[in-house]
Amino acid sequence: MTKILISIVGPTAIGKTKLSIQLANHFNTEIISADSRQFYKEMQIGTAAPTPTELNAAPHHFIQHLSIDNYYNVGAFERDTITLLKQLHKKNDVIIMVGGSGLYVNAVTKGLDKLPKVNHAIRDELNTRFQKDGLEGLQFQLKELDPKAYRTIAIDNPQRLIRALEVCLSSGLPYTSFLTSQDKKRDFETITIGLTAERELIYDRINRRVDLMMADGLLDEVKTLLPKKSLNALNTVGYKELFNVLEKQWTLDFAISEIKKNTRRFAKRQLTWFRKNDKTIWFDYKTDLEVIKKTISKKINT
């Protein structure tokens, strides 16, 4: 039988974790997380990481296996996941991958372009500029150096913006000149399942999830991380807003409203990214599990 990776994608708070566990139990298999913030053990509440009950319901990989002090990027994730998949596919023909980090999903299913080595001094300088002056100056610089990248990447994502700039400045060439449309050959076939809903419903689910996070102690979690707020992992919705509360810059109510707004914007970007893949099989988040299972089984057997 052909080895299969079932990739579950969609906006935050849509129900991907629940579906991944249901499918893992159905196929008697294991789950790989492609959520780049759930890697970190110090960030449980604000990343909506699977609960202990959910983790016990099926074997999981790449959940809270790192510290925020560890430098880890999408290239390392691609390498580690492909290695793990080779091992897991020896005992299971079907493996589940779930997560809303589009670049990390693509790294596994399509592969990354080979980018040049960067000057770490340049990266450090860009990060310092970001911490001191924010995104606007960096965005303007990318627009000058690589207009195509400025138009196509998520320029409000500091990690993506700095990555593009460091490649431009280290190589003397546009970041987009290193990008190709060729997918890497994989030893498995990917079936991508997307969950979605009407926009207002997605936004309502996000708002309710943020309220639950606050009730579960998100502010206390963020307090423990304040001394390390400059780390890239913590430049994350839900954390950066509450840092402003702890530093007496914002009120708590305002910060919560900003978390909800920024999470809604993130969900919109997720949908835009995932809809670029015309092979994704989309389901309304309320679709009966049997319908999804039958669709996947039919796809596997064709």
Side-chain angles (χ1 to χ4, degrees), residues 59 114 133 137 143 245:
K114 190 171 180 61
D133 302 320
K143 187 176 183 180
V245 174

Side-chain angles (χ1 to χ4, degrees), residues 219 240-256:
L219 185 59
K240 59 185 181 181
E241 294 88 354
L242 292 178
F243 286 142
N244 286 335
V245 174
L246 297 173
E247 293 178 334
K248 310 297 184 185
Q249 297 176 33
W250 289 0
T251 66
L252 181 59
D253 285 344
F254 179 72
I256 292 171

Side-chain angles (χ1 to χ4, degrees), residues 251-277:
T251 66
L252 181 59
D253 285 344
F254 179 72
I256 292 171
S257 70
E258 287 295 292
I259 293 171
K260 292 176 178 178
K261 180 184 74 176
N262 291 333
T263 307
R264 293 193 299 265
R265 287 176 174 174
F266 175 58
K268 184 179 179 181
R269 293 197 302 271
Q270 286 176 304
L271 281 169
T272 299
W273 176 285
F274 290 128
R275 283 174 177 155
K276 292 177 184 176
N277 182 358

Side-chain angles (χ1 to χ4, degrees), residues 12 40 55 60 66 69 77 126 137 150 167 171 177 182 185 197 206 213 215 218 225 272 278 280 295 299:
T12 188
Y40 301 106
L55 291 173
H60 285 73
L66 298 172
D69 294 305
F77 178 72
L126 292 170
Y150 178 82
V167 169
S171 68
S177 69
Q182 256 188 331
K185 182 174 173 50
I206 287 170
M213 286 177 173
L218 179 57
L225 298 172
T272 299
D278 58 8
T280 299
T295 302
K299 189 78 173 173

